[in-house]
Amino acid sequence: MDFEAVIGLEVHVQLKTRTKIFCGCATDFGAEPNTRVCPVCLGYPGVLPVMNEEAIRKTILAGLMIGCDITRHSKWDRKNYFYPDMPKNYQISQYDLPLCLGGKVGAVGVTRIHLEEDVAKSFHFATNSGVDFNRAGTPLMEIVSEPDMRTPEDAFNYLTALKEILVTGGVSDCDMEKGQLRCDCNVSVRPVGQVTFGEKIEIKNMNSISGVKRALEYEIPRQINALKRGEKLQQETRRWDDDDGKTFLMRTKEYAHDYRYFPEPDLMPVVVDDTMLAEIRRQLPELPEARRHRFVAQYGLPDYDAGVLVANGALANFFEQAAGKNPKAAANWIMTVSEITTTPIQPEHITELVAAIDAGQISGKQGKDVFAEMLAAGKPPALIIKEKGLAQVSDTGAIEAFAEQAIAANPKSVADFRAGNKAALNALVGQVMKLSKGKANPQLVSSVLAKKLQGS
Amino acid sequence: MSLFALTIAELREKLRTGEVSAREVTQALLNRIQAVDGKLNAYLWLNPDDALAQAERVDAKSDKLLAGIPIAVKDVLNVDGQPCTCASKILKGYTSVYDAQVITRLKQEGAIILGRTNMDEFAMGSSTENSSWGVTRNPWDLERIPGGSSGGSAACVAGDEAIASLGSDTGGSIRQPAAVTGCVGLKPTYGRVSRYGLVAFASSLDQIGPFTKTVADAATMLRVIAGHDDRDSTSVPRPVPQYSIAGGVKGLRLGLPKEYFIPGMDREVEAAVRAAIRQLGSLGAEIVEISLPHTEYAVAVYYLIATAEASANLARFDGVRYGARVRGEDVIDTYGKTRGAGFGPEVKRRIILGTYALSAGYYDAYYLRAQKVRTLIRQDFEKAFQKCDAIVTPTTAEPAFKIGEKSADPLKMYLCDIFTISCNLAGNCGISVPCGFAGKLPVGLQILGKAFDEETILRVAQAYEQSTDWHKQRPVL
Ligand SMILES: [Zn+2]
């Protein structure tokens, strides 16, 4: 019997806001433990949350990019459970009225997007544990997909596309090293052709897109093999260990939490009116898919170039400023820049470099040297060409003078050429280049020489 | 008359003219506390040196509303650098790291934060017997309770140990103790006063308010503490009126809800309240019969909503970040041991009730249903206020009971708030003013108003107070 997997993903994404969701503490990463905290995000007695409107706007923006319906009256709920990483022992989240409903990323349906507060980070030492509350209260968006994926590749592609969208919209940097994108996965297996789902198994603790793929590549065969052995799977939660490359049982259904959700009395409901929605719509960036198509159509780029550029929003933006009259050439240069956000090169310098080469002012080979200098020093290409004395001599008068000198000094080559040995011209070109100290435009030199020899 | 026995208005006059200094007033109160608090146990914490230092710093001749006035605060309000135990062992050793918004306002208006008063643990109770630090006694009869949960804040004003005090009212915790100790207690409209810095019991019901000796003082206190606060999303951005309380009751329609005079109610209490209502009639108010038909469900609704919210609000007391910690084998065991040792029986009872009401399978039947009935109760008031400008009722069904009398029966204790709870569920404002005695025990008249219409209930209360001498009666200590 053949089996197939059914996969749904819950993705947690930290929003790119300056401050936390309910207090004024900074959200910057990597500070000393417990230095980005205040009574509010530490859950001190008597404090109250105040909503960060920017977090709501970013979540709605994400929803619009994914094609969700925006809930006009949504609210906050308390999700109750005890854990040391949870300062209040309840999390302010959204239960039945999330900000966004429905939507699609590629072929995968998105059920809902809601906003909540991130928890702190626990550290376990030899004899005790510590909690760093810097992360507690960072705005966290949960994006729940439909169970529309069947293979680890489907999951990988969904996550990659989702990440691309969120980065493009400036909603999140999705930096997985910093834990800005985390994922839980629901996976079950069933005989091909069966309509009902198998027993749903949740996998937690996957901190990268490739980690999700690896976890599923382990978990799906594990479940299929268990069924083939005649075992019965049951609903449970498992933990992925990326080092071991295995999933481990965390808890079975009987130990599932009862979160006792109820409406958060300390916050007013969120009312998204037409004005607010229109404002957010105006910030909607072009989606990656649409942008790729436009790059091919508008700039005549090959699909590959369009894909590379659009995959990195900053690279694509840089390209659009640099495209000039020869977008393909500009794209070739830009795609070699590895750190586009920190490069000293200005987009208009790329335009100038391409123009200099196309006008024959410098050769393509010289262009590479100029580009290397641009990368290192951030100077405009014109300045580099001037400083290095790289400009080609394209002055026909000067070249004609050199050509006549060369013809006069090399009668043998002239005779050979006239006798039909076309290669003899190269020797004369070489002479002219020597006379011009290498600065003459070689193409111009050959055409001037040829004209002179054939004409006389 | 001794300085400690004066009102805010009387003292402000003497301070402004320089007749007395803030230090003299503060010292007079510290001496009074020294003399009588052994009997009352109204205070949990005092720092005489700090109080006197505040008195030295204040410019008592300024025009600030509370310049030089010593005020006590319930142990549920955060004051930077002071303990804040909520009368619970679980917060033993905790020191506040910030000022509640009402404390900021008191300080801005020159008040002297005198000390912290006793209460039922986490404001859960109607007698102050649920304090982890001993009972507070009623200044009128030391064998009796001072009401609760703000019993310490009521007793210290009634016993002249503070000029005024702050309490919190979730289901009657200001008005009920004010009634049974013979002082004025005001619960402002939900959203009128910032809750920032008030340790939450039931977030959708809690409101901070004053205890004072007169209605005029209550109006002054409200002017100081009312107003929008960016740090409390439920505080309402409406301007704060001057709360002018003169004007009398002539032409005002006062609603008399038939559901508020119940069988089994104390006869002397009923007689005093009915006499007060007649008095208001003779002052020119029109008394109209009204009905608040869902009143009988209020106690049940309250004990579902308040306990549900409390079960989450009190979850943060786990010994991880602050407060007392009892070490266990692991983190779960530490939670259990810490909370087991830290919370008293009534708090545990309510956490379990609330947890149960929110549990899967019970949520719809209990919490959700309670919310629906809460809406009906709110609508009762909206309808009633189409017929009247304010509602007059007894504050309690009986005077202060004996210490220990109801301890064994939580349900009996829950019925103490039967007349005060609906106001919190509806989110309206209410005030209790002294209206006579049952034997030698004070009786309170409750006046309930529309949301954000504190001015009207203060006006009614003022007219009544000025036509009687009840507020001038003082207990002998
Ligand atoms: Zn903070």
Side-chain angles (χ1 to χ4, degrees):
Chain A
M1 201 185 326
D2 278 345
F3 289 87
E4 68 171 0
V6 175
I7 303 162
L9 294 172
E10 288 171 18
V11 181
H12 288 94
V13 179
Q14 281 187 354
L15 293 181
K16 197 175 167 180
T17 54
R18 204 174 47 79
T19 54
K20 292 187 181 181
I21 187 166
F22 299 128
C23 65
C25 292
T27 50
D28 54 338
F29 180 83
E32 284 292 299
N34 297 313
T35 56
R36 298 293 182 272
V37 293
C38 71
V40 175
C41 57
L42 284 174
Y44 265 56
V47 297
L48 296 169
V50 176
M51 195 66 219
N52 178 343
E53 202 184 300
E54 187 59 19
I56 294 179
R57 287 175 177 269
K58 287 222 146 78
T59 305
I60 293 174
L61 182 65
L64 290 174
M65 288 167 74
I66 291 170
C68 299
D69 288 328
I70 306 305
T71 310
R72 294 310 193 92
H73 277 82
S74 87
K75 68 172 173 71
W76 307 102
D77 298 281
R78 291 186 182 177
K79 177 181 181 181
N80 294 285
Y81 69 95
F82 275 76
Y83 203 73
D85 66 10
M86 179 69 76
K88 305 181 291 294
N89 288 317
Y90 62 81
Q91 181 186 29
I92 302 179
S93 179
Q94 298 192 286
Y95 181 55
D96 54 347
L97 288 172
L99 277 166
C100 314
L101 283 168
K104 253 189 159 57
V105 173
V108 178
V110 169
T111 317
R112 55 182 277 161
I113 305 177
H114 73 252
L115 187 53
E116 60 191 24
E117 53 181 331
D118 206 348
V119 297
K121 226 174 155 176
S122 299
F123 293 89
H124 302 289
F125 311 114
T127 56
N128 64 332
S129 296
V131 190
D132 175 9
F133 288 93
N134 285 356
R135 195 180 72 179
T138 302
L140 196 65
M141 198 167 63
E142 182 174 326
I143 303 164
V144 182
S145 87
E146 292 288 311
D148 287 349
M149 291 157 276
R150 297 291 173 269
T151 65
E153 290 70 34
D154 286 351
F156 183 87
N157 292 339
Y158 165 76
L159 289 169
T160 307
L162 181 63
K163 180 185 163 188
E164 208 175 71
I165 291 170
L166 298 176
V167 171
T168 303
V171 170
S172 172
D173 289 334
C174 295
D175 188 335
M176 286 175 284
E177 303 272 297
K178 296 178 182 169
Q180 291 172 348
L181 188 149
R182 312 193 290 272
C183 192
D184 296 340
C185 179
N186 290 311
V187 56
S188 60
V189 294
R190 64 183 175 191
V192 171
Q194 182 182 307
V195 181
T196 53
F197 295 146
E199 285 300 325
K200 187 175 80 177
I201 289 170
E202 187 182 15
I203 314 174
K204 288 193 172 289
N205 194 39
M206 290 163 298
N207 298 323
S208 71
I209 294 178
S210 55
V212 171
K213 188 160 170 266
R214 284 193 293 277
L216 288 168
E217 280 165 352
Y218 169 84
E219 179 65 14
I220 294 169
R222 185 192 74 79
Q223 291 186 19
I224 292 173
N225 289 336
L227 288 182
K228 282 184 174 166
R229 283 196 302 272
E231 290 172 26
K232 222 167 126 52
L233 293 169
Q234 57 167 347
Q235 203 176 316
E236 64 188 26
T237 302
R238 302 180 70 83
R239 181 178 58 83
W240 168 245
D241 188 316
D242 215 6
D243 296 331
D244 280 5
K246 287 178 181 164
T247 62
F248 295 92
L249 178 66
M250 275 174 80
R251 58 175 175 262
T252 53
K253 194 185 170 188
E254 302 92 86
Y255 296 98
H257 293 296
D258 176 2
Y259 290 121
R260 303 189 310 279
Y261 283 99
F262 74 101
E264 166 58 271
D266 287 333
L267 288 169
M268 304 306 276
V270 185
V271 179
V272 181
D273 59 18
D274 291 346
T275 320
M276 181 174 174
L277 205 54
E279 269 172 37
I280 300 170
R281 262 187 217 288
R282 275 198 292 278
Q283 297 164 16
L284 261 182
E286 187 178 23
L287 286 177
E289 185 71 13
R291 199 174 201 188
R292 266 192 295 274
H293 288 309
R294 183 167 63 78
F295 275 23
V296 172
Q298 182 182 338
Y299 297 112
L301 294 186
D303 287 342
Y304 173 80
D305 290 19
V308 171
L309 291 171
V310 170
N312 178 342
L315 208 59
N317 293 342
F318 191 99
F319 164 76
E320 295 222 62
Q321 291 174 57
K325 289 196 173 122
N326 188 349
K328 170 62 187 143
N332 286 344
W333 291 113
I334 292 165
M335 287 190 293
T336 67
V337 180
S338 55
E339 289 295 332
I340 198 71
T341 47
T342 53
T343 185
I345 300 182
Q346 300 300 310
E348 60 268 26
H349 295 165
I350 296 287
T351 320
E352 288 165 20
L353 175 66
V354 170
I357 295 167
D358 288 351
Q361 198 192 348
I362 54 171
S363 67
K365 189 171 169 294
Q366 286 172 324
K368 285 188 178 144
D369 298 337
V370 173
F371 183 70
E373 186 71 12
M374 286 159 65
L375 263 180
K379 291 180 195 162
L383 184 64
I384 299 168
I385 291 167
K386 199 173 159 212
E387 280 177 0
K388 291 198 176 259
L390 289 178
Q392 296 185 84
V393 175
S394 299
D395 171 352
T396 328
I399 291 175
E400 277 185 15
F402 290 137
E404 271 159 25
Q405 275 186 52
I407 289 167
N410 295 283
K412 182 161 184 319
S413 300
V414 173
D416 286 354
F417 179 76
R418 285 191 173 140
N421 183 356
K422 300 289 173 202
L425 190 65
N426 291 341
L428 292 167
V429 170
Q431 284 301 312
V432 173
M433 294 306 287
K434 214 177 201 174
L435 290 167
S436 75
K437 297 197 173 74
K439 286 179 190 172
N441 180 334
Q443 269 114 44
L444 203 57
V445 171
S446 12
S447 77
V448 167
L449 277 170
K451 213 183 277 167
K452 282 201 181 293
L453 292 174
Q454 278 155 2
S456 56
Chain B
M1 206 181 212
S2 314
L3 288 177
F4 58 74
L6 300 180
T7 65
I8 294 176
E10 290 162 347
L11 272 175
R12 278 301 304 135
E13 192 51 34
K14 289 186 191 297
L15 287 161
R16 183 166 33 236
T17 57
E19 186 186 331
V20 296
S21 70
R23 191 188 166 88
E24 286 169 299
V25 174
T26 306
Q27 191 60 60
L29 279 150
L30 289 169
N31 294 346
R32 171 71 174 175
I33 293 167
Q34 179 81 32
V36 303
D37 204 55
K39 295 180 192 169
L40 297 182
N41 192 33
Y43 281 93
L44 291 181
W45 183 90
L46 271 177
N47 183 343
D49 293 340
D50 178 60
L52 291 169
Q54 292 178 58
E56 293 291 350
R57 280 197 301 271
V58 75
D59 174 11
K61 291 183 184 170
S62 79
D63 283 335
K64 290 183 176 174
L65 291 170
L66 299 173
I69 305 294
I71 287 169
V73 299
K74 188 176 179 180
D75 196 32
V76 76
L77 291 165
N78 280 276
V79 181
D80 196 3
Q82 291 188 5
C84 180
T85 72
C86 304
S88 179
K89 284 186 274 190
I90 209 159
L91 277 172
K92 194 173 179 208
Y94 169 72
T95 302
S96 293
V97 295
Y98 69 98
D99 278 338
Q101 171 65 5
V102 289
I103 300 300
T104 303
R105 290 291 300 127
L106 288 187
K107 287 181 174 175
Q108 282 168 350
E109 290 298 336
I112 289 153
I113 313 294
L114 189 56
R116 309 185 62 80
T117 60
N118 201 8
M119 56 186 278
D120 286 299
E121 183 178 7
F122 285 105
M124 295 177 180
S126 306
S127 67
T128 315
E129 291 167 293
N130 295 333
S131 169
S132 303
W133 319 124
V135 297
T136 293
R137 291 166 188 278
N138 192 317
W140 293 91
D141 179 345
L142 298 178
E143 299 298 301
R144 291 176 188 266
I145 58 101
S149 64
S150 313
S153 286
C156 75
V157 172
D160 288 327
E161 293 183 281
I163 304 305
S165 67
L166 287 180
S168 64
D169 189 317
T170 308
S173 284
I174 291 173
R175 289 158 290 156
Q176 183 258 11
V180 301
T181 58
C183 48
V184 176
L186 171 67
K187 183 204 95 75
T189 307
Y190 187 79
R192 181 69 288 184
V193 177
S194 169
R195 293 183 292 117
Y196 190 81
L198 166 71
V199 181
F201 160 18
S203 313
S204 74
L205 301 160
D206 295 342
Q207 200 51 196
I208 301 165
F211 289 89
T212 55
K213 298 171 186 176
T214 63
V215 174
D217 281 4
T220 303
M221 288 290 281
L222 183 61
R223 267 179 75 185
V224 172
I225 63 174
H228 177 63
D229 176 11
D230 288 339
R231 295 172 303 177
D232 176 2
S233 314
T234 64
S235 80
V236 176
R238 288 168 75 112
V240 178
Q242 287 298 303
Y243 296 116
S244 49
I245 55 174
V249 292
K250 200 160 276 175
L252 285 182
R253 295 164 305 164
L254 300 180
L256 193 61
K258 57 175 186 252
E259 294 83 1
Y260 277 60
F261 291 89
I262 53 169
M265 168 170 196
D266 183 275
R267 283 169 58 193
E268 283 178 281
V269 168
E270 182 173 353
V273 172
R274 287 203 186 273
I277 293 167
R278 275 197 305 278
Q279 172 84 355
L280 282 163
S282 72
L283 291 169
E286 183 194 342
I287 310 295
V288 293
E289 274 264 325
I290 56 158
S291 175
L292 298 166
H294 295 91
T295 300
E296 62 173 309
Y297 306 111
V299 171
V301 166
Y302 174 86
Y303 278 96
L304 288 168
I305 292 173
T307 58
E309 292 179 7
S311 73
N313 283 332
L314 271 62
R316 69 188 63 196
F317 304 108
D318 59 7
V320 171
R321 283 144 298 128
Y322 47 76
R325 179 192 295 173
V326 182
R327 261 188 183 284
E329 308 259 307
D330 54 27
V331 67
I332 299 296
D333 192 36
T334 301
Y335 288 154
K337 288 200 161 82
T338 299
R339 291 165 66 81
F343 291 136
E346 183 58 29
V347 172
K348 286 178 188 164
R349 182 180 295 121
R350 295 200 193 188
I351 289 174
I352 289 174
L353 266 173
T355 303
Y356 187 79
L358 291 173
S359 295
Y362 298 97
Y363 180 88
D364 288 1
Y366 295 120
Y367 182 82
L368 202 62
R369 195 112 180 260
Q371 286 293 9
K372 287 178 182 162
V373 181
R374 181 177 185 177
T375 304
L376 296 176
I377 291 170
R378 186 179 297 133
Q379 289 167 352
D380 277 359
F381 278 95
E382 281 164 15
K383 276 182 210 149
F385 282 125
Q386 288 169 1
K387 285 201 207 161
C388 62
D389 303 299
I391 295 170
V392 283
T393 81
T395 309
T396 61
E398 54 179 24
F401 53 88
K402 286 227 163 88
I403 290 168
E405 195 180 319
K406 295 183 198 252
S407 305
D409 189 348
L411 278 180
K412 245 185 200 160
M413 191 73 92
Y414 293 175
L415 291 174
C416 292
D417 295 333
I418 191 160
F419 297 147
T420 47
I421 272 177
S422 295
C423 170
N424 299 76
L425 290 169
N428 299 336
C429 56
I431 191 169
S432 179
V433 288
C435 73
F437 288 84
K440 55 173 188 166
L441 299 170
V443 176
L445 170 71
Q446 178 175 237
I447 306 158
L448 301 175
K450 296 172 200 167
F452 300 99
D453 192 19
E454 283 83 0
E455 207 153 34
T456 299
I457 60 170
L458 286 164
R459 199 170 124 195
V460 175
Q462 169 75 357
Y464 176 74
E465 179 190 272
Q466 292 305 304
S467 72
T468 69
D469 274 340
W470 303 123
H471 64 289
K472 292 181 184 157
Q473 312 290 317
R474 312 307 298 166
V476 180
L477 281 167

